[in-house]
Amino acid sequence: MRKRPVGTVTFLFTDMEGSTRAWEAHPAETQVALKRHDDIMAREIEARDGVIVLERGEGDSVFAVFARATDAVAAAWEIQRALRAQSWPAHVSMRVRMAIHTGEAGADYRGPHVNRAARLRSIAHGEQILLSGVTAGIVRGGLPNGSSLVDLGQHRLRDVAETEHVFQLAHPELRSDFPPLKSLSNFRQNLPVQLSSFVGRERERQNVRALFDSKRVITLVGSGGCGKTRLAIQVGADLLEQFPDGVRFVDLAPLTDASVVIEAIAAAVGVKSEQGVATIDALIRDLEGTRTLIILDNCEHVIQACAEAVLGLLRSGEGVRVLATSRQPLGLAGEVNSRVPSLSMPESTASSSSSIARRRRDRASP
């Protein structure tokens, strides 16, 4: 068994686009296709001294690590070539998206560089190979024959503080006609930039996202400082593709006058006041027929005004949803309240923290 590289390593993250739908509609064909997919992945990754981290892959996704960035890029290129050369079952489209990023890692392969690689993969499209700016700088002189790098510019990644300079691996044998990347930069949104990674809350995130399939108003309820705002921002980022007309964040904390709640919402949505037209009516008119998520943050000190505003917003149509954060519910019919407890440290984070502390003690020992 090949030894896992540590130190400065390069991560290759892949997954199959549309695999959930394929499994549900054509399970037998999908199983056959994924067996062939797995064989190709293993062959090409191992041929270039890469290691597949089995315990970190999920379903059709692959988590591979390389000691050399050029090997990771060569493996990705060969995998895409091999996948394109196959004849796949009629109802299974084998479109695999890939991301490559280089950074420091220990044997457990946890930390910010792994997170960045995963977030980079999430903005790619099927058959696309994306490289981070770091990796692009390393491999520029050692690309597969006939390959080049396409500069896709700076992009905001979900739950990553700094923007990422993203490149696409191009070759005449690879697909090149992709839609815009699915990064925060390419969606209609005004979510605040976060200065640290989002940790934990996975169950709460999933629950809130699922509620929006059938509910229109969800309020995250909890004590001050428990993490309601951060959770709401993360859920908003998770739902960007479901709300193509916008995810709009409204910070109500600075307001001292409840009468300007509607104006604050209008400003976030981009609706200008019109003479002789009530602001709520202008908002409703602008939002009609759209799929828009409005996040009202810190409602508790203007709770009644928020409740009235939400009632007005809901008149815009079924596509408009509201996610509120408050120390108390809005008190609306049909509102779903999701309690947000104080954040406890996830087991993996606790383990990582203990490991860091232990290494510091070891370095301090004579």
Side-chain angles (χ1 to χ4, degrees):
M1 183 175 178
R2 185 173 284 113
K3 186 177 180 181
R4 294 183 176 185
V6 295
T8 301
V9 300
T10 297
F11 300 103
L12 168 62
F13 278 33
T14 82
D15 69 9
M16 174 184 165
E17 192 174 65
S19 62
T20 300
R21 292 189 298 273
W23 272 115
E24 291 176 352
H26 308 284
E29 291 181 334
T30 302
Q31 185 173 21
V32 171
L34 282 178
K35 173 62 169 63
R36 207 183 314 164
H37 160 280
D38 293 348
D39 291 343
I40 292 171
M41 288 283 179
R43 182 185 73 225
E44 300 299 342
I45 289 170
E46 292 171 5
R48 285 153 188 81
D49 298 323
V51 176
I52 296 177
V53 185
L54 295 175
E55 69 270 22
R56 299 295 293 277
E58 298 177 359
D60 57 88
S61 70
V62 171
F63 180 131
V65 187
F66 297 79
R68 293 182 296 273
T70 50
D71 287 337
V73 173
W77 147 238
E78 291 292 354
I79 290 168
Q80 290 289 20
R81 280 185 63 195
L83 292 174
R84 289 174 66 86
Q86 294 287 315
S87 295
W88 299 100
H91 301 293
V92 180
S93 298
M94 186 55 66
R95 296 190 297 268
V96 174
R97 56 183 181 171
M98 301 182 173
I100 306 172
H101 174 61
T102 304
E104 291 287 322
D108 61 350
Y109 297 133
R110 297 185 184 278
H113 292 294
V114 173
N115 296 339
R116 185 172 286 268
R119 296 308 187 194
L120 184 60
R121 177 184 61 185
S122 72
I123 71 173
H125 298 278
E127 300 185 273
Q128 193 170 31
I129 303 173
L130 298 183
L131 283 69
S132 69
V134 172
T135 303
I138 295 171
V139 305
R140 197 176 295 278
L143 295 171
N145 289 337
S147 300
S148 61
L149 294 178
V150 179
D151 188 340
L152 300 182
Q154 297 283 342
H155 290 267
R156 279 185 63 193
L157 305 179
R158 290 177 175 87
D159 193 35
V160 175
E162 300 87 3
T163 60
E164 179 60 61
H165 197 169
V166 181
F167 293 82
Q168 176 186 311
L169 184 67
H171 190 279
E173 295 182 39
L174 296 180
R175 178 185 167 192
S176 59
D177 56 330
F178 296 103
L181 295 179
K182 295 182 283 187
S183 67
L184 293 177
S185 310
N186 287 333
F187 286 99
R188 300 178 66 181
Q189 53 83 26
N190 67 335
L191 296 172
V193 175
Q194 300 304 295
L195 301 180
S196 61
S197 296
F198 186 84
V199 178
R201 300 283 194 203
E202 188 57 40
R203 183 179 302 172
E204 289 95 331
R205 284 169 64 184
Q206 292 177 357
N207 290 343
V208 175
R209 290 199 302 263
L211 285 171
F212 274 117
D213 291 339
S214 58
K215 306 299 180 182
R216 298 188 63 195
V217 181
I218 299 169
T219 303
L220 304 180
V221 180
S223 60
C226 72
K228 300 185 297 297
T229 297
R230 189 63 190 274
L231 177 58
I233 292 170
Q234 190 62 37
V235 169
D238 293 341
L239 293 174
L240 283 169
E241 292 181 65
Q242 294 185 34
F243 293 96
D245 296 304
V247 173
R248 296 299 175 183
F249 182 87
V250 187
D251 182 10
L252 301 174
L255 300 189
T256 57
D257 183 354
S259 67
V260 298
V261 166
I262 286 292
E263 279 67 24
I265 298 172
V269 173
V271 173
K272 296 181 179 179
S273 60
E274 300 178 33
Q275 188 172 4
V277 179
T279 305
I280 186 60
D281 292 333
L283 263 171
I284 293 170
R285 185 181 61 196
D286 187 80
L287 293 171
E288 279 180 342
T290 70
R291 289 194 55 79
T292 303
L293 175 64
I294 296 175
I295 301 174
L296 301 180
D297 189 43
N298 293 300
C299 295
E300 55 275 345
H301 64 298
V302 284
I303 197 77
Q304 185 58 41
C306 285
E308 294 171 0
V310 170
L311 287 175
L313 293 171
L314 296 182
R315 287 159 45 201
S316 303
E318 277 293 319
V320 175
R321 300 284 195 272
V322 176
L323 176 60
T325 76
S326 179
R327 299 185 188 185
Q328 64 188 87
L330 301 182
L332 297 174
E335 173 189 9
V336 176
N337 298 311
S338 180
R339 291 282 170 183
V340 181
S342 296
L343 182 63
S344 58
M345 184 177 290
E347 182 179 345
S348 62
T349 304
S351 174
S352 176
S353 298
S354 298
S355 176
I356 292 170
R358 187 165 56 251
R359 289 198 296 270
R360 286 174 176 169
R361 289 197 301 270
D362 292 343
R363 286 199 297 267
S365 299

